[in-house]
Amino acid sequence: MNNSPEVSSTAQDTPSSAPQPSAFERWRRKAMLVTGLGVTDDERLEDLRQHHIRDCERKKEYLMNYSPVVVFMLKHLKASGCEVPMSNVLCAPCDMSKAGGFTPDPGAVILCAGHFFSQQHMESTITHELMHMYDHCRFKVDWANLRHHACSEIRANNLSGDCRFTRELRRGFLSFSKQHQACVRRRAVESVTANPACPNEAAAERAVNEVWESCFNDTRPFDEDHCYVSVSLVLL
């Protein structure tokens, strides 16, 4: 038996009587946040965080609907039995060391709001993390196994666009000989080194070297969709 007091339908249907701020008040509040007059540093920081999250959500929604490579990955994840709803790609504040991440359980992609310098940067980050999700779904990756982790990192860096020439130039790496392979290897070693199951960088390098040839040449799901080959080559 429910002993809680009943709420009348009249009370439920009555809109809140709290007055809404006028356009002038909203403008005044925004001006205070921009100038810092009359607000605390914490309030300004929180306003900036919320702005970054809103901007991230807007761009994420666009890419999940219209980016050829992101839509392609979402299609193949669904075909593999791992459909990714919009709510499983989250925009959130992060530290400055990364742009995104993947959590195997419950299967979510994290986008670090405010860390993207272009829409293309966000696109390659989403693609990178969806590649991890695809590997986890289809190949049952054991992320504590350094060889498994290394293989997925090699594939994600190779196929997402993370190692395109312009991205490497922005990071301060310039090479005209095997630049792409060097980037894929370096970033894979960095990621595996950060794995809690990895004792040191030498172990990460060993794991990457052991699986390099087979995993670098594994371009699934791109090689399974012949209609997409020309698009993927342009993106990479």
Side-chain angles (χ1 to χ4, degrees), residues 25-48:
E25 285 299 326
R26 292 196 298 271
W27 174 86
R28 179 173 174 273
R29 175 67 177 173
K30 190 63 182 177
M32 292 168 64
L33 289 166
V34 170
T35 61
L37 298 175
V39 294
T40 66
D41 289 343
D42 286 343
E43 287 176 312
R44 295 186 74 192
L45 184 59
E46 180 58 27
D47 180 69
L48 182 61

Side-chain angles (χ1 to χ4, degrees), residues 21 54 58 60 66 70 72-73 89 92 121 168-169 178 185 200 218 223:
R54 288 191 299 270
R58 178 177 58 80
K60 172 203 81 176
Y66 300 111
V70 174
F72 174 87
M73 286 303 304
V89 180
H121 183 198
E168 277 292 85
L169 193 61
K178 296 186 177 181
R185 186 183 294 275
N200 50 51
D218 184 354
D223 59 2

Side-chain angles (χ1 to χ4, degrees), residues 12 48 81 91 132 135 144 164 169 179 183 202:
Q12 288 177 316
L48 182 61
C91 290
H132 287 321
D135 287 352
R164 57 170 57 93
L169 193 61
Q179 171 269 331
C183 170

